[in-house]
Amino acid sequence: MLRILYLAHDLSDPAIRRRVLALQTGNASVTLAGFRRGEQAAAAMNGVTAIELGTTEDARFLQRAGAVARACMNLGTSMRGVVRPDLVIARNLEMLAVARRAVALFGDDIPVVYECLDIHRLLLRNDIGGRALRAAERRLGSEVSLLITSSPAYVENYFQPLSGLDAPVMLLENKVLELDDENPVVPAPRPPTESQPWKIGWFGALRCRKSLDLLSRFSRAMEGKVEIVVRGRPAYTELKDFDSFMRGEPFMSFRGAYRNPEDLAEIYGEVQFCWAIDFFEEGQNSAWLLPNRMYEGCRYGAVPIAIAGTETARFIGGRDIGFVLQQASVDALVALFSGIDHTRYVDAATRIADQGAKQWTFRRRDCIELVNRLSAIANAPETASRNPAQVAAATMEMELNDR
């Protein structure tokens, strides 16, 4: 059985829970260590008790850097009693520093996998700070055996031209983890009755001020013909007035956090559309990502709404599904929904159903294949000795052909 040390930047992040569950399902033994984010509780995980390395805060880079430095100094104590892993996975840049320290403690021949599913804006700056951070990433990642990322646009726009990393790439999309149903089906269209409004779901990590303001103004302009249902974890560092803001909205409602993947069918079943737009790092990470909510919405029959010029728009456009706004404005949204009737909605939802649920899900078979891939890295030193450019090209070609 492959023994994995998984280093997490935020133990409360539901995505960490899903990844650990996927690795366990693939028959790996996982030791989880990482940082608690503020006062948030760690996500509950079956059979796994996380090793807490410290506490970090949102939007406080220097505080997080200090926490990482302290964690590295105390790692010998933190890891006391941990069985030597076969592989270390570092989720995000700060955990790559911890991974280097862990390898030094356990043995220099342990391969490291760098899992980077977001490109922080600090990495993209052209000033001395941005260059220094990229240099740190390049140094810390100089010997990684595999880079895991979730969107081809990250490779095209950052990892190939800017990062300086020279490692094989694995594209691992943010699909819905679904382990029970072997024959999943996308639900049928669910149009509202004549007396009910259309509903747009904005679910997940809530950090985008521009989306919040735009959806507020749009729902008011539609005077109740469209309602916005909001669920997830608000980032109060970005949306300090979120609670009071939502209380004042006549056509928007916040319904709290939810379990992922357990509650997805229920919450997406309440809406017809999925807000798959993010302006948090507009023109950079937000333009390149393929968000969880797009996969979740499509899996459960919610029609995605994207913005032109993004990887999300390119993705759904290539599959002839969803709606793409040409500009982020109230007028554009009003024009879109003024043209949506029962027939147009059913056609859009049917196009998603025709894609099949497997397009949007990460299944038991996928978990096994992922762990087999990681096992090959841990057990085959020749993988690291191959030409990294050749491996990266072959890997990307394989993964993109499978999409």
Side-chain angles (χ1 to χ4, degrees):
M1 177 181 287
L2 181 68
R3 295 189 300 271
I4 296 174
L5 172 59
Y6 194 100
L7 299 173
H9 68 299
D10 179 3
L11 293 172
S12 65
D13 188 342
I16 299 298
R17 174 177 178 261
R18 294 195 301 273
R19 184 69 83 229
V20 169
L21 180 56
L23 294 169
Q24 290 176 319
T25 302
N27 199 33
S29 172
V30 181
T31 298
L32 175 65
F35 293 97
R36 182 186 292 274
R37 186 59 58 90
E39 297 300 319
Q40 299 188 63
M45 302 183 204
N46 293 335
V48 175
T49 300
I51 299 170
E52 292 193 17
L53 302 178
T55 302
T56 57
E57 302 291 340
D58 276 332
R60 293 186 60 193
F61 176 77
L62 291 178
Q63 186 274 334
R64 287 164 68 177
V68 168
R70 287 190 295 274
C72 288
M73 287 190 296
N74 298 325
L75 201 61
T77 301
S78 301
M79 294 291 162
R80 185 174 297 147
V82 173
V83 177
R84 184 183 188 277
D86 302 309
L87 182 85
V88 178
I89 300 178
R91 177 78 168 240
N92 284 10
L93 176 55
E94 60 253 54
M95 305 317 296
L96 199 53
V98 181
R100 287 288 291 265
R101 175 60 178 154
V103 168
L105 288 172
F106 286 112
D108 290 339
D109 58 337
I110 299 175
V112 174
V113 172
Y114 180 27
E115 185 175 16
C116 184
L117 308 186
D118 286 292
I119 309 300
H120 196 282
R121 60 184 177 273
L122 293 179
L123 283 164
L124 298 167
R125 286 167 46 171
N126 290 320
D127 59 11
I128 188 171
R131 290 193 294 271
L133 202 56
R134 288 194 297 275
E137 181 185 51
R138 186 161 55 250
R139 179 177 58 81
L140 293 170
S142 61
E143 297 180 2
V144 298
S145 298
L146 182 70
L147 167 66
I148 294 177
T149 193
S150 57
S151 170
Y154 289 150
V155 180
E156 296 165 8
N157 293 286
Y158 177 70
F159 287 115
Q160 286 182 346
L162 289 176
S163 74
L165 294 179
D166 193 7
V169 177
M170 181 179 185
L171 185 66
L172 198 59
E173 295 173 81
N174 291 314
K175 295 184 177 183
V176 178
L177 184 63
E178 190 164 323
L179 304 176
D180 298 328
D181 190 354
E182 290 303 318
N183 296 293
V185 177
V186 174
R190 42 189 180 271
T193 64
E194 287 189 14
S195 61
Q196 294 177 322
W198 296 108
K199 291 185 178 180
I200 301 173
W202 180 29
F203 303 150
L206 308 172
R207 58 185 183 178
C208 180
R209 179 90 236 180
K210 187 171 179 179
S211 285
L212 185 66
D213 292 339
L214 178 58
L215 289 170
S216 168
R217 290 183 288 115
F218 162 63
S219 62
R220 289 171 183 264
M222 295 299 291
E223 299 180 331
K225 297 183 180 67
V226 179
E227 291 186 1
I228 315 299
V229 179
V230 183
R231 293 180 183 266
R233 298 194 308 166
Y236 289 104
T237 53
E238 307 298 332
L239 306 173
K240 293 181 175 61
D241 62 340
F242 178 82
D243 294 331
S244 60
F245 185 99
M246 291 301 300
R247 285 194 294 269
E249 288 302 306
F251 308 114
M252 296 179 70
S253 60
F254 177 55
R255 304 189 187 174
Y258 57 92
R259 295 174 302 163
N260 187 333
E262 291 87 347
D263 296 338
L264 295 181
E266 177 184 352
I267 67 173
Y268 280 99
E270 297 177 358
V271 302
Q272 291 84 34
F273 301 91
C274 164
W275 186 253
I277 297 175
D278 186 287
F279 302 105
F280 178 62
E281 293 177 347
E282 195 169 0
Q284 297 177 339
N285 189 71
S286 291
W288 304 336
L289 58 76
L290 289 174
N292 290 299
R293 57 177 66 100
M294 178 193 69
Y295 294 94
E296 296 165 359
C298 289
R299 165 63 186 93
Y300 294 106
V303 180
I305 301 171
I307 189 75
T310 64
E311 184 67 15
T312 305
R314 183 167 74 170
F315 184 95
I316 67 174
R319 288 155 179 77
D320 195 23
I321 58 173
F323 297 112
V324 175
L325 300 174
Q326 293 305 306
Q327 57 182 351
S329 69
V330 172
D331 289 344
L333 279 165
V334 169
L336 172 62
F337 276 85
S338 296
I340 292 178
D341 56 14
H342 180 281
T343 300
R344 192 177 181 199
Y345 159 70
V346 170
D347 175 68
T350 301
R351 287 174 184 269
I352 293 172
D354 289 344
Q355 295 283 316
K358 292 183 179 180
Q359 168 78 17
W360 316 109
T361 55
F362 197 79
R363 315 193 58 72
R364 192 173 298 275
R365 177 192 68 251
D366 300 310
C367 297
I368 293 171
E369 291 177 356
L370 171 61
V371 172
N372 286 343
R373 178 81 172 272
L374 298 175
S375 296
I377 293 172
N379 297 327
E382 67 273 11
T383 301
S385 65
R386 292 172 58 192
N387 184 322
Q390 292 176 345
V391 176
T395 303
M396 283 299 296
E397 181 178 2
M398 178 184 68
E399 297 292 342
L400 293 174
N401 287 340
D402 285 344
R403 294 173 67 210

